[in-house]
Amino acid sequence: MFYNPYIVFFSCNHPSSTFFPLSRLFYRYRDLAPQLVPLDYTGQPDVRLPYELIGSMPELKDNPFRQRIAEVFSEDGEGNMTLDDFLDMFSVLSEMAPRDLKAYYAFKIYDFNNDDFLCKSDLEKTLNKLTRNELTEEEVRMVCDKVIDEADLDNDGRLSLEDFQHMIVRAPDFLSTFHIRI
Amino acid sequence: DTDSNADSEEESMSEGEMERLKEEVEEKKKIIATMRNKPWRMKRRECQAFVDKFEGALGKGKGKKFYAYKVMMTKKWIKFQRDFENFKTTCIPWERKIKEVESHFGSSVASYFIFLRWMYGMNMVLFGLTFGLVVIPEVLMGLPYGSIPRKTVPRAEQATAQDYSVLMDFNGYCKYSVLFYGYYNNQRTIGLLKFRLPLSYLMVGVGTFGYSLMVVIRTMAKNADVGGGDGDEGEFTFSWKMFTSWDYLIGNAETADNKYASITTSFKESIVDEQENQKDENIHLRRFLRVLANLMIICCLGGSGYLIFFVVKRSQEFANRDDLSWYEKNELELIMSLLGLVCPPLFETIAELEEYHPRIALKWQLGRIFALFLGNLYTFLFALFDEVNNKLEEEKSIRNASIWALKEYYANFTLHNNDSEATAPPIDPADVIRGPCWETAVGIEFVKLTVSDIQVTYLTILIGDFARAVIVRFLNYCWCWDLEATYPSYGEFDISGNVLGLVFNQGMIWMGAFYAPGLVGINVLRLLSSMYYQCWAVMATNVPHERVFKASKSNNFYMGLLLLILFLSLLPVVYTIMTLPPSFDCGPFSGKAKMFDVIMETIDLDLPAFLGTLFSYAANPGLIIPAVLLMVGDNEQYQHMSAVPVCFCVDEVSAKWHHAYSPVTPVT
């Protein structure tokens, strides 16, 4: 969140004014559960919205990876998000975020088993989520083999963060697709 | 992006302040450079320190409002640019429809619809040219219906002129309307504006070809520019597909459904490509089989060519006899239709020997059916020219007859009228003897062909696809075998047949537009309704191909076919303009020896004298040949230059893939 002074500004609890877009984000967060989220955040309340509320937001509800997104950005790793987590999430996914930052978080999102590597099972899960299980097993296997073939630079049969970053920064569509507008 | 904000601030401040800001920016850059590589959340203490350090930029102290205003304007500008891009994409017609087809049926089927849309655009321009410069002036400023012989239905035909069957044949009132060449008057200038209609008619006729040629070549150049290779030769094809194909902006269930379908299709296409690459078989056997298949197909084509030739000869003999059976009367049409129905599936079956990649097999299929249809074209032109020559013969005798009849009329009048001073009233236009007007006859043939082509296409879709789908769906409940899974099942979209239909149809339009200006309008309507009708038919009654394959990156193959047909249709029209004499009593060139005499007349009468001598020097072959060579050379170069973007461009469509979907609208 450091790259955007406004985000920093807000999270340090300076009074918000109508210029700063962050007040809008706060109200979106609050609208998910008005009875849980207080208007006054000066006391640093420990409020965590459960994953079900986050996952039903219109921006996320059709995304096949919404669960993973919530898990990656939440403090507890279960998808239950505090306001800070919420702001983090939308910062990284906004237009302004730098490419490297997005690549880092994309890697974490697609790493289903959280072992810091994209192994075959991670790739298979990603593919099945993308195609809603329409491809045959043979086809899935073939695609995953090809992906590892293409991107694995250190030949360990799985993609590390470096492999992933090396591949994704060259992708022409990455910045425009890994983007949520709120 | 804090740097860019700081830079824009620099322009509006004094030297000293600029220096100070530059220092601050440098410091900020250093900090950000170190922090950049370690994404971590900052705690409040560090926040406070950060804020205190960069007070000015963050909005405390002087310049706060101005700076914040600048940032807000920058954001608004970015948003505006994004919205404008979205707006431009939504302006492209049928974009959503085609995306939907693409997501369910793959890019090769969608390429047909993109081609159709491109054709529609080109035809709209031709329509605008023709109607604006030829039809509207004649309607507004020319003489009305019934005033001169060429604009009136002859007395003999007036009884039946309104009959439905006569109108369907484009006789009667249709024949003597702006739709056809014969209606136009040969007055050199008409109306207050002194609009030179005959010149305009000729220029529009030639301009149609010129514009079409320019547009086709420009599109080919643009496609060749933008990575015109076949297949996707990316380093990270599958990786990028896996990690960048989902558009996180999607917030609509239907859009998401389409996106899932298109991602699946896209993966399947790439898998097919990959499997083709991995295949390694006996090269010699494959080569032998391919040579064999080509030999068989050449035999088929030769056989059908000879059959057509034979049948045309027979029909010429039949024209002289009167006692013909139904079969003999329609033999030519029957044989042509049979060939058109039987040969394409035959070619497809033979092509299975060749085992090409589906994309390449499609190209071969297209080429072969193209060769077959050329036979049809040859027959049609042959028959047409026969008719034209007959009419020219007829005209000579009628011309003498009509001059003689006019003299008779005046002689009779002075005979029966004792008052020798009175002049005879002009003959009623309906009674004047008419020449055969071969140009209108040719125009009628083209219009009839186009209309019957439309009818056949629509009926084929209705019966071959829709009725079949309905039968399979509902009969399946009470049939012995599974209709859906085995035979006949649902139809697949026939890409090659449809593309060739479109290309040949356009060839007919180009040939016929000179003789029937209304034909372009009919074609525009046809393309418009085709788009909706075929989109509906494809989504409702077709199933995706078993092996979905990606269309080649450029549409240049279709464009190449179109270019070939353009040249083929240019030749007959140029021949008639240059060689055949126009009819003496109908059309804008009546009374002249050759149609292009209009240009000579204009140069002599309208342009200053020195231009006339200039043109006569320029018409020297010694100058024309180098000029033509230069133009050809220019075109070659043009192919390698980047061209001005054409509205309906294949690659723009594919590049703007994500932005076609509506952005999520915020809840607040």
Side-chain angles (χ1 to χ4, degrees):
Chain A
M1 296 206 305
F2 55 83
Y3 62 87
N4 187 334
Y6 295 118
I7 295 182
V8 168
F9 195 89
F10 183 77
S11 76
C12 301
N13 293 316
H14 278 76
S16 65
S17 90
T18 47
F19 274 165
F20 301 144
L22 254 58
S23 56
R24 203 156 51 83
L25 275 174
F26 171 70
Y27 288 123
R28 287 300 304 277
Y29 183 76
R30 185 156 190 279
D31 281 341
L32 293 175
Q35 71 282 17
L36 289 177
V37 180
L39 269 170
D40 178 12
Y41 244 69
T42 42
Q44 297 280 3
D46 180 26
V47 176
R48 235 169 254 272
L49 291 186
Y51 164 68
E52 288 69 31
L53 291 175
I54 308 287
S56 62
M57 287 180 73
E59 288 85 352
L60 287 177
K61 70 173 174 22
D62 292 302
N63 194 319
F65 302 110
R66 59 188 176 277
Q67 173 128 27
R68 280 301 300 161
I69 296 174
E71 284 171 10
V72 162
F73 285 101
S74 63
E75 240 180 273
D76 61 0
E78 303 279 311
N80 308 310
M81 302 182 87
T82 64
L83 177 62
D84 276 342
D85 299 335
F86 190 81
L87 294 176
D88 269 345
M89 176 168 74
F90 284 107
S91 308
V92 171
L93 287 166
S94 80
E95 260 180 328
M96 310 278 216
R99 188 196 288 264
D100 292 335
L101 187 64
K102 286 194 182 219
Y104 173 80
Y105 278 100
F107 182 81
K108 291 183 75 169
I109 289 173
Y110 296 123
D111 184 8
F112 282 79
N113 51 13
N114 287 318
D115 62 352
D116 291 333
F117 286 102
L118 294 178
C119 56
K120 260 197 111 183
S121 70
D122 293 329
L123 297 177
E124 278 171 17
K125 286 208 191 77
T126 309
L127 187 59
N128 280 323
K129 277 212 189 294
L130 275 176
T131 58
R132 289 203 284 206
N133 299 313
E134 290 258 338
L135 296 181
T136 67
E137 272 193 45
E138 170 77 33
E139 289 170 340
V140 168
R141 201 178 40 80
M142 206 193 98
V143 171
C144 294
D145 283 340
K146 265 309 271 185
V147 171
I148 294 193
D149 219 8
E150 285 171 356
D152 188 12
L153 297 172
D154 47 14
N155 284 321
D156 57 355
R158 49 195 185 164
L159 302 184
S160 64
L161 176 60
E162 283 75 33
D163 298 336
F164 183 80
Q165 275 182 328
H166 176 258
M167 176 268 293
I168 210 80
V169 296
R170 285 170 177 65
D173 301 331
F174 176 60
L175 283 179
S176 53
T177 54
F178 197 70
H179 167 213
I180 294 185
R181 208 179 303 146
I182 181 166
Chain B
D1 73 328
T2 42
D3 292 338
S4 63
N5 287 338
D7 285 340
S8 58
E9 229 193 332
E10 280 176 37
E11 289 152 26
S12 51
M13 297 188 175
S14 67
E15 282 266 354
E17 289 202 306
M18 259 171 48
E19 284 302 316
R20 191 175 57 82
L21 268 171
K22 271 190 191 155
E23 275 179 23
E24 283 186 1
V25 165
E26 283 307 314
E27 281 191 20
K28 265 195 280 182
K29 272 190 188 164
K30 275 192 227 144
I31 292 194
I32 288 176
T34 46
M35 294 210 295
R36 197 165 220 151
N37 295 323
K38 302 181 268 176
W40 40 277
R41 239 180 291 155
M42 297 216 283
K43 301 292 183 255
R44 212 207 311 179
R45 273 173 295 156
E46 281 140 332
C47 269
Q48 202 68 42
F50 188 85
V51 165
D52 288 336
K53 214 169 180 183
F54 297 102
E55 259 186 25
L58 283 178
K60 268 191 171 171
K62 49 184 174 205
K64 158 188 174 177
K65 282 218 171 76
F66 181 63
Y67 181 71
Y69 172 76
K70 268 206 173 260
V71 171
M72 187 182 75
M73 289 312 286
T74 316
K75 282 193 143 184
K76 279 206 196 292
W77 175 243
I78 294 175
K79 182 170 194 300
F80 170 76
Q81 278 184 320
R82 195 194 317 130
D83 287 341
F84 187 63
E85 286 296 314
N86 278 340
F87 173 71
K88 275 206 294 191
T89 320
T90 48
C91 268
I92 302 177
W94 306 309
E95 181 77 353
R96 207 166 275 248
K97 247 193 226 313
I98 295 183
K99 283 283 180 262
E100 212 182 325
V101 170
E102 185 169 10
S103 55
H104 286 100
F105 291 88
S107 53
S108 46
V109 171
S111 71
Y112 164 75
F113 288 98
I114 292 171
F115 187 54
L116 177 60
R117 183 175 63 186
W118 182 89
M119 292 279 252
Y120 174 74
M122 183 177 74
N123 275 281
M124 275 299 267
V125 175
L126 295 179
F127 173 74
L129 268 177
T130 316
F131 262 58
L133 292 175
V134 170
V135 177
I136 303 290
E138 182 70 21
V139 163
L140 288 180
M141 298 191 278
L143 300 168
Y145 172 84
S147 50
I148 46 176
R150 69 186 63 180
K151 300 199 183 202
T152 328
V153 178
R155 187 74 62 186
E157 292 174 29
Q158 273 186 351
T160 55
Q162 264 186 328
D163 286 354
Y164 181 74
S165 57
V166 165
L167 285 177
M168 280 297 108
D169 249 353
F170 297 99
N171 277 319
Y173 283 116
C174 260
K175 184 170 172 183
Y176 299 96
S177 70
V178 270
L179 274 180
F180 294 108
Y181 173 100
Y183 186 83
Y184 295 85
N185 200 2
N186 69 335
Q187 236 179 314
R188 211 175 76 84
T189 65
I190 51 176
L192 287 169
L193 297 169
K194 297 222 180 300
F195 189 79
R196 286 159 179 65
L197 189 75
L199 182 69
S200 156
Y201 195 99
L202 187 68
M203 289 288 109
V204 164
V206 171
T208 302
F209 287 104
Y211 173 75
S212 308
L213 187 67
M214 185 194 77
V215 147
V216 171
I217 291 191
R218 191 160 67 169
T219 311
M220 285 178 87
K222 177 149 214 288
N223 284 342
D225 235 13
V226 188
D230 271 338
D232 202 337
E233 271 131 46
E235 211 186 322
F236 295 112
T237 317
F238 282 91
S239 311
W240 287 347
K241 266 202 203 330
M242 187 178 280
F243 296 114
T244 66
S245 56
W246 183 264
D247 188 352
Y248 281 57
L249 275 173
I250 291 175
N252 168 323
E254 197 186 315
T255 316
D257 279 338
N258 279 347
K259 190 66 173 174
Y260 284 120
S262 76
I263 290 179
T264 312
T265 309
S266 165
F267 269 112
K268 287 196 173 161
E269 287 175 355
S270 293
I271 289 172
V272 164
D273 273 348
E274 186 60 26
Q275 280 170 341
E276 288 294 318
N277 287 342
Q278 283 179 353
K279 247 192 331 194
D280 47 5
E281 282 174 13
N282 192 341
I283 298 187
H284 299 290
L285 180 66
R286 218 168 346 152
R287 279 205 193 130
F288 170 72
L289 284 176
R290 283 182 185 170
V291 168
L292 181 67
N294 276 312
L295 275 176
M296 286 166 74
I297 289 181
I298 290 178
C299 287
C300 282
L301 283 174
S304 67
Y306 178 71
L307 187 60
I308 294 180
F309 178 73
F310 178 69
V311 167
V312 165
K313 275 263 169 296
R314 265 178 35 130
S315 74
Q316 282 183 317
E317 290 163 27
F318 288 156
N320 299 332
R321 283 171 34 195
D322 275 331
D323 55 336
L324 299 170
S325 63
W326 175 86
Y327 170 74
E328 280 164 351
K329 263 196 273 203
N330 295 309
E331 187 183 37
L332 187 59
E333 278 88 19
L334 273 172
I335 296 285
M336 305 259 276
S337 314
L338 257 165
L339 278 176
L341 278 173
V342 164
C343 284
L346 181 66
F347 290 166
E348 258 186 67
T349 323
I350 296 179
E352 287 187 18
L353 277 177
E354 297 180 316
E355 288 188 12
Y356 278 125
H357 185 292
R359 192 185 313 130
I360 302 181
L362 176 67
K363 290 194 175 163
W364 277 97
Q365 179 75 350
L366 275 173
R368 286 163 184 160
I369 302 183
F370 186 81
L372 181 72
F373 281 8
L374 278 181
N376 278 7
L377 196 66
Y378 150 77
T379 321
F380 180 73
L381 285 177
F382 197 77
L384 212 57
F385 266 117
D386 248 5
E387 204 180 321
V388 168
N389 282 329
N390 285 345
K391 287 217 151 59
L392 281 173
E393 291 296 319
E394 207 183 311
E395 192 179 306
K396 290 202 188 99
S397 54
I398 290 194
R399 181 193 284 207
N400 295 334
S402 69
I403 295 175
W404 187 81
L406 198 63
K407 290 207 175 94
E408 276 275 313
Y409 175 76
Y410 281 119
N412 277 345
F413 186 81
T414 45
L415 208 64
H416 292 278
N417 235 352
N418 290 327
D419 184 0
S420 59
E421 292 294 317
T423 46
I427 310 180
D428 186 301
D431 292 321
V432 174
I433 301 179
R434 308 292 187 79
C437 203
W438 63 269
E439 294 98 340
T440 303
V442 168
I444 292 179
E445 283 303 310
F446 277 108
V447 173
K448 283 208 291 211
L449 186 70
T450 306
V451 168
S452 77
D453 189 42
I454 297 175
Q455 289 169 335
V456 167
T457 313
Y458 285 19
L459 269 175
T460 313
I461 295 180
L462 200 61
I463 297 178
D465 281 335
F466 184 66
R468 171 175 169 181
V470 164
I471 290 174
V472 167
R473 169 70 75 90
F474 292 113
L475 220 53
N476 209 17
Y477 295 123
C478 49
W479 203 259
C480 10
W481 71 84
D482 189 356
L483 288 170
E484 278 181 5
T486 50
Y487 185 81
S489 163
Y490 298 103
E492 290 180 351
F493 186 77
D494 177 15
I495 304 175
S496 52
N498 276 298
V499 166
L500 280 179
L502 210 57
V503 166
F504 272 95
N505 169 62
Q506 190 60 38
M508 292 295 121
I509 302 297
W510 276 324
M511 270 196 265
F514 189 75
Y515 307 104
L519 189 57
V520 192
I522 295 177
N523 196 39
V524 163
L525 283 174
R526 173 235 173 95
L527 288 175
L528 188 64
S529 55
S530 246
M531 176 58 98
Y532 290 106
Y533 185 52
Q534 284 190 301
C535 268
W536 165 80
V538 132
M539 295 297 290
T541 67
N542 286 111
V543 287
H545 289 105
E546 252 186 67
R547 297 178 82 202
V548 185
F549 58 94
K550 206 185 321 193
S552 54
K553 275 238 146 64
S554 66
N555 250 358
N556 270 357
F557 189 68
Y558 300 161
M559 291 294 158
L561 286 180
L562 201 61
L563 197 64
L564 191 60
I565 285 277
L566 176 60
F567 281 124
L568 285 178
S569 30
L570 182 63
L571 295 175
V573 176
V574 167
Y575 176 75
T576 45
I577 294 181
M578 292 298 178
T579 7
L580 291 182
S583 298
F584 76 97
D585 70 339
C586 69
F589 309 113
S590 57
K592 304 211 170 19
K594 294 271 188 315
M595 289 187 192
F596 65 84
D597 283 346
V598 155
I599 302 183
M600 305 312 209
E601 194 185 40
T602 314
I603 296 178
D604 283 336
L605 297 176
D606 289 328
L607 301 176
F610 75 91
L611 274 178
T613 37
L614 196 72
F615 275 128
S616 63
Y617 286 142
N620 188 340
L623 275 176
I624 289 189
I625 292 175
V628 166
L629 288 176
L630 216 75
M631 278 201 305
V632 170
D634 252 343
N635 265 340
E636 289 294 309
Q637 220 181 7
Y638 199 50
Q639 298 256 355
H640 300 293
M641 278 164 42
S642 51
V644 174
V646 181
C647 271
F648 308 102
C649 170
V650 176
D651 297 277
E652 240 178 31
V653 165
S654 55
K656 297 277 189 281
W657 173 247
H658 339 281
H659 300 294
Y661 294 104
S662 57
V664 175
T665 45
V667 171
T668 46

